[in-house]
Amino acid sequence: MISADKLKLILSQEDMDAYRLDAGTIGSGAGTRRAIRTILDEAKRRCGFDACGGRLLVQMFPSAAGGCEIFVTRLFTADADGTDGADPSSARAYLFDRIGDLLDCCAALDRSGYGEPSAAYSCDSGGYLLIVCGDWDTPGEYGRRLDTGKAEIYIGEHTKKIRGRDAVAVLAALR
């Protein structure tokens, strides 16, 4: 485990064969999803990482020896009923240079009635990321919009979570 919300798995070629995975042709098909679910169940038994409930980012990187590295990141924490209330396709990512800009953005969103799931991260490079759901103009006034797919990859490797699920409301209260 990298953190409570991040997991790194290293699979050898033998592991890939056992799970019937091919790093060169891996996709989002049912066979791949079943294999990943089995691997995550094993990770839960071994180290306690629970991937159930909530939205996950799963990244696989092939290795030269035929195996791969898998990074799993929980993007939102699930509600008690197992849902996070968000449409994953509606997530938008924004980068802020200063913490003050992030807090101002959250306060403005909160005043506008924002009530969807949100998550905030500090970047290793010194900036801040905010993930919001829906098409809101407000974050673009304080930070710059990022390609969500690229932001999710960045989150998996170069950030620390500040607050998940209700970041906008919690950070707005700090302003």
Side-chain angles (χ1 to χ4, degrees):
M1 286 183 60
I2 296 171
S3 72
D5 292 317
K6 295 179 186 178
L7 178 68
K8 177 182 178 181
L9 304 161
I10 301 172
L11 292 132
S12 66
Q13 179 62 56
E14 293 78 26
D15 295 327
M16 298 287 284
D17 293 341
Y19 290 111
R20 296 187 185 125
L21 292 171
D22 178 356
T25 60
I26 200 137
S28 60
T32 300
R33 285 193 301 272
R34 267 193 305 275
I36 297 297
R37 176 56 50 208
T38 302
I39 292 167
L40 290 175
D41 288 345
E42 180 66 21
K44 182 178 180 180
R45 283 191 292 280
R46 288 187 184 196
C47 67
F49 184 83
D50 189 1
C52 292
R55 186 166 177 225
L56 296 176
L57 169 66
V58 178
Q59 303 166 273
M60 297 183 76
F61 301 96
S63 69
C68 73
E69 291 184 349
I70 301 173
F71 292 88
V72 180
T73 305
R74 261 191 298 251
L75 298 178
F76 292 112
T77 304
D79 292 337
D81 65 359
T83 64
D84 65 13
D87 172 6
S89 66
S90 74
R92 306 284 187 263
Y94 294 88
L95 180 64
F96 304 87
D97 294 327
R98 300 177 321 113
I99 188 72
D101 295 335
L102 171 64
L103 297 176
D104 289 343
C105 176
C106 290
L109 280 168
D110 192 57
R111 284 191 303 271
S112 298
Y114 184 86
E116 297 293 321
S118 56
Y121 302 86
S122 65
C123 303
D124 294 346
S125 63
Y128 300 90
L129 272 172
L130 179 66
I131 308 295
V132 296
C133 294
D135 195 17
W136 294 78
D137 293 329
T138 304
E141 297 172 16
Y142 297 90
R144 62 187 175 278
R145 181 148 178 215
L146 300 177
D147 174 273
T148 305
K150 290 179 183 175
E152 288 177 345
I153 291 169
Y154 191 78
I155 287 169
E157 298 180 22
H158 302 287
T159 66
K160 291 183 181 133
K161 186 184 282 187
I162 295 172
R163 182 72 184 198
R165 177 79 178 110
D166 59 354
V168 166
V170 170
L171 296 177
L174 297 175
R175 261 304 183 224

